[in-house]
């Protein structure tokens, strides 16, 4: 039943792709994705893919979310990036207190979250909760969200940090400062969000340092925390690469050219990601603990997929051919140059960690 539902969602999302692709240039010019597209994606069930079942979600296989996000991004990179991050913010919410989830989705199952997990907020303890203040930059989709999920440091009376927390904040308690002006990804609305001493009750708090999981947590939400967040930053790049490679036909005489190799690299990356996520899900279902080798393999293949996607688009830029849409190619190039700046695409940092692990050295920074 769930598989059929996921396939229904993918089919519904695919029916929207022609109109999303047709609007991509307008998104770039106007700097915004039409809110009706977000409504259409709600109607298609896209935002329910990672949402807890108890609140109407599908808790689908990760590959369903990843496939839909990649195909959305092939149609319009801004739309795919925006939708992908709004959707992934519902992942892992079953780890939160039920009272907080009831506030989040009890009266509106279509409520979306924007997020920033940079610990740029400050929490000061108060009776029954905390006072929160802070500014979070580049919160994708802030204008479409009803809640903020943000990172903050809990500080003691001496001002020293005691814990790294994630807090849920309703739209009434924060201000969105519309200041996104990226070279690419023009339509994602990655604006700043500001909280000025808002009260956050205890049940809306979540501690990363004291994370505990048991068999009641669905396998999807027991995936290692960086998994889908880092992939949310990579699938739009793969979708963008597929789009320009489809536009750039390969003549029979160039079957072994750089263009053919670029296509192979992108297809290989998609297969690697599917394999790794499948293996992680098998571990989660079996209740196995964190497998550092598998987690690092997943992160390595994910970050190399970002690199391959950018390289593939660069190859098309060098040899666009006579029939490609120059406006499309220029727009996608700007989009991927902006997208690759995300922390999820930090190749050097990731491969440094992978290399240390391969030589048996201590690795204590698995998350990013």
């Amino acid at each position: 039943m769930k598989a059929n539902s996921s396939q229904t969602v993918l089919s519904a999302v695919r029916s929207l792709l022609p109109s999303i692709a047709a609007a991509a240039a307008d998104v770039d010019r106007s700097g915004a994705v039409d809110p009706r597209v977000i409504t259409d994606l709600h109607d298609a069930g896209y935002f329910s893919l990672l949402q807890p079942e108890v609140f109407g979600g599908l808790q689908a296989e990760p590959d369903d979310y990843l496939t839909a996000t990649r195909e959305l991004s092939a149609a319009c990179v801004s739309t795919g990036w925006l939708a992908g991050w709004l959707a992934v913010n519902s992942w892992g919410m079953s780890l939160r207190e039920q009272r907080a989830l009831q506030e989040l989705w009890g009266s509106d199952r279509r409520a979306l979250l924007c997020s920033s997990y940079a610990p740029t907020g400050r929490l000061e303890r108060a009776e029954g909760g905390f006072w929160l203040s802070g500014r979070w930059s580049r919160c994708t989709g802030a204008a479409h969200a009803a809640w903020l999920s943000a990172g903050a440091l809990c500080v003691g009376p001496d001002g020293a940090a005691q814990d790294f927390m994630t807090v849920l904040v309703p739209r009434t308690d924060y201000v969105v400062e519309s200041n996104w002006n990226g070279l690419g990804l023009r339509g994602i609305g990655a604006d700043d969000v500001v909280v000025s001493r808002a009260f956050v009750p205890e049940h809306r708090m979540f501690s990363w340092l004291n994370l505990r999981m048991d068999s009641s947590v669905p396998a999807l939400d027991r995936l290692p925390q960086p998994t889908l967040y880092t992939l949310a930053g990579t699938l739009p790049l793969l979708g963008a690469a597929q789009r320009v490679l489809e536009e750039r036909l390969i003549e029979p005489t160039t079957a072994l050219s750089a263009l053919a190799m670029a296509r192979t690299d992108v297809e290989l990356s998609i297969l690697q990601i599917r394999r790794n996520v499948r293996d992680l899900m098998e571990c989660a279902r079996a209740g196995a603990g964190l497998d550092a080798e598998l987690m690092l393999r997943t992160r390595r293949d994910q970050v190399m997929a970002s690199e391959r996607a950018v390289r593939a688009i660069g190859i098309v830029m060098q040899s666009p051919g006579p029939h490609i849409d120059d406006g499309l190619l220029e727009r996608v190039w700007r989009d991927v140059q902006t997208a690759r700046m995300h922390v999820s695409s930090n190749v050097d940092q990731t491969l440094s960690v992978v290399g240390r692990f391969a030589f048996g050295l201590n690795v204590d920074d698995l998350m990013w």
Side-chain angles (χ1 to χ4, degrees):
M1 183 68 174
K2 183 183 290 188
N4 291 337
S5 298
S6 297
Q7 291 306 307
T8 299
V9 170
L10 286 173
S11 178
V13 168
R14 285 167 178 157
S15 72
L16 300 174
L17 298 181
S19 61
I20 290 173
D26 289 336
V27 169
D28 187 62
R29 281 190 293 268
S30 67
V33 172
D34 192 323
R36 288 175 294 185
V37 172
I38 302 301
T39 300
D40 289 342
L41 289 171
H42 272 301
D43 292 343
Y46 172 77
F47 293 113
S48 71
L49 287 171
L50 302 180
Q51 193 175 14
E53 284 183 321
V54 68
F55 291 102
L58 294 176
Q59 280 181 344
E61 290 297 307
D63 189 58
D64 297 322
Y65 158 76
L66 298 173
T67 298
T69 303
R70 175 168 48 82
E71 294 186 12
L72 281 168
S73 302
C76 172
V77 189
S78 276
T79 301
W81 184 277
L82 169 65
W85 282 100
L86 288 173
V88 81
N89 289 329
S90 296
W91 172 53
M93 282 292 160
S94 64
L95 296 169
R96 310 296 181 93
E97 287 197 29
Q98 285 298 305
R99 184 177 169 187
L101 299 187
Q102 189 64 37
E103 291 175 344
L104 175 59
W105 285 312
S107 60
D108 181 7
R109 292 189 172 185
R110 290 192 169 195
L112 297 173
L113 300 99
C114 62
S115 69
S116 174
Y117 296 110
T120 54
R122 178 186 177 93
L123 290 160
E124 298 177 354
R125 184 167 291 280
E127 184 176 354
F130 295 83
W131 291 108
L132 171 68
S133 296
R135 173 186 290 269
W136 293 265
S137 298
R138 299 181 180 177
C139 298
T140 295
H144 300 279
W147 287 76
L148 166 70
S149 180
L153 294 177
C154 178
V155 299
D158 60 353
Q162 297 179 331
D163 199 352
F164 172 42
M165 313 285 284
T166 299
V167 297
L168 291 175
V169 186
R171 182 65 182 83
T172 52
D173 287 349
Y174 62 84
V175 174
V176 177
E177 294 189 357
S178 300
N179 54 9
W180 173 246
N181 189 30
L183 173 69
L185 298 179
R186 302 285 297 167
I188 67 172
D191 298 322
D192 285 8
V193 173
V194 181
V195 175
S196 300
R197 198 165 174 77
F199 180 73
V200 181
E202 290 270 8
H203 65 270
R204 293 190 201 148
M205 313 292 296
F206 179 77
S207 172
W208 289 99
L209 298 182
N210 297 302
L211 178 62
R212 297 290 184 273
M213 295 189 191
D214 56 38
S215 59
S216 67
V217 177
L220 176 66
D221 288 351
R222 278 187 270 135
L223 289 175
Q225 281 303 302
T227 306
L228 291 189
Y229 292 125
T230 53
L231 287 171
T234 294
L235 270 296
L237 293 169
L238 289 171
Q242 286 186 304
R243 175 65 184 279
V244 298
L245 287 168
E246 287 172 4
E247 295 284 330
R248 176 59 166 95
L249 299 177
I250 301 178
E251 295 80 9
T253 56
T254 60
L256 297 178
S257 68
L259 286 167
M261 289 301 297
R263 287 191 178 192
T264 301
D265 281 347
V266 170
E267 291 170 4
L268 172 64
S269 291
I270 293 170
L271 291 174
Q272 287 179 323
I273 287 170
R274 284 180 167 159
R275 176 199 64 175
N276 293 335
V277 172
R278 183 186 64 243
D279 290 351
L280 285 170
M281 283 294 291
E282 289 178 0
C283 287
R285 289 192 181 100
L290 178 64
D291 184 330
E293 184 173 3
L294 174 56
M295 187 174 174
L296 283 170
R297 187 185 82 193
T298 302
R299 182 72 168 102
R300 178 201 66 193
D301 292 347
Q302 168 267 315
V303 79
M304 289 307 300
S306 296
E307 189 77 357
R308 290 171 183 149
V310 174
R311 185 166 61 239
I313 296 167
I315 289 170
V316 178
M317 289 286 292
Q318 293 170 14
S319 177
H323 306 298
I324 201 164
D325 181 338
D326 290 338
L328 165 68
L329 187 55
E330 183 268 341
R331 182 175 66 250
V332 170
W333 178 250
R334 286 188 290 105
D335 287 340
V336 300
Q337 295 307 311
T338 303
R340 73 187 302 190
M341 299 301 292
H342 191 267
V343 64
S344 62
S345 295
N346 191 326
V347 177
D348 290 341
Q349 181 184 18
T350 301
L351 295 187
S352 173
V353 175
V354 172
R356 295 204 311 272
F357 182 83
F359 283 99
L361 302 177
N362 182 50
V363 174
D364 56 4
D365 46 0
L366 291 177
M367 185 165 185
W368 296 107

